[in-house]
Amino acid sequence: MANGGRTNDPDLLVAGAQRSAMLVAVGSVLATASVILALLALNATTSGVTSTTAVPWIIALLVCGALIGVCCVVQQRLWLRAWNVWRVDPSASVGERFSWVVHVVSYPVVVAGIFAGIAASHDVGFAGAVANWSTLALVPLIGAQVVGAVQHVRKDGPPGTIPTHVRRLAARIERSRHED
């Protein structure tokens, strides 16, 4: 490992890219599930005696689910591109900055989606099919963001995992031994 935990070993880079691409694919599936559940909530507003004041919130939830899906698809494409480039040139930089921006954008999108889902449920009194579907749509929405949209392209692996912290701690200990 060199450069603060980064590696130039093509096998490690490709393995990490494959794992991250798989997580982002799961995020894309979850985003699709969120959109489907939001559509079911929208459909529930047309049947029965449900207040239509929830419709704008459900549409906002639907848009947020679609945007998280777009974030996941963009991250997937960037990881696949990185995977192909790192096989040939492990030192190449492949869309890392753009991927990071997409990851940052996903946070306000998911927060807006959570707000929209809760507001839709509130508008119908937290009861009935609209409330159920809009609340259920939040679960895959949050899951898609957590599993997929935040997986930005990087060579040094996920920053918050235990193995990364252990590697950094071991490197610090090794540096302190050499300084003494």
Side-chain angles (χ1 to χ4, degrees):
M1 291 277 173
N3 303 330
R6 291 177 175 252
T7 183
N8 284 333
D9 181 6
D11 294 335
L12 288 177
L13 287 173
V14 169
Q18 288 173 335
R19 183 181 61 246
S20 293
M22 182 69 71
L23 285 172
V24 176
V26 170
S28 297
V29 170
L30 288 170
T32 302
S34 176
V35 168
I36 291 169
L37 290 169
L39 285 171
L40 289 170
L42 190 59
N43 185 47
T45 62
T46 61
S47 59
V49 289
T50 305
S51 169
T52 58
T53 59
V55 171
W57 294 116
I58 295 169
I59 291 172
L61 176 61
L62 186 62
V63 168
C64 289
L67 287 174
I68 286 293
V70 167
C71 288
C72 288
V73 168
V74 168
Q75 296 290 31
Q76 174 81 15
R77 299 285 297 178
L78 288 168
W79 272 111
L80 293 176
R81 183 169 170 241
W83 176 0
N84 289 327
V85 169
W86 288 340
R87 283 186 189 164
V88 178
D89 183 9
S91 62
S93 179
V94 184
E96 292 176 17
R97 185 174 304 258
F98 181 67
S99 180
W100 183 82
V101 169
V102 170
H103 137 267
V104 170
V105 166
S106 73
Y107 287 101
V109 170
V110 78
V111 169
I114 292 169
F115 181 77
I118 292 172
S121 293
H122 176 267
D123 279 357
V124 295
F126 294 107
V130 173
N132 291 340
W133 291 123
S134 60
T135 303
L136 285 174
L138 295 178
V139 176
L141 176 73
I142 295 167
Q145 197 267 345
V146 168
V147 173
V150 298
Q151 296 295 327
H152 61 93
V153 175
R154 61 203 176 274
K155 290 183 181 180
D156 55 350
T161 61
I162 302 257
T164 302
H165 290 305
V166 170
R167 272 196 304 272
R168 288 180 185 157
L169 181 61
R172 241 185 245 157
I173 292 169
E174 191 64 29
R175 278 193 309 268
S176 70
R177 286 183 186 164
H178 291 298
E179 289 174 356
D180 294 335

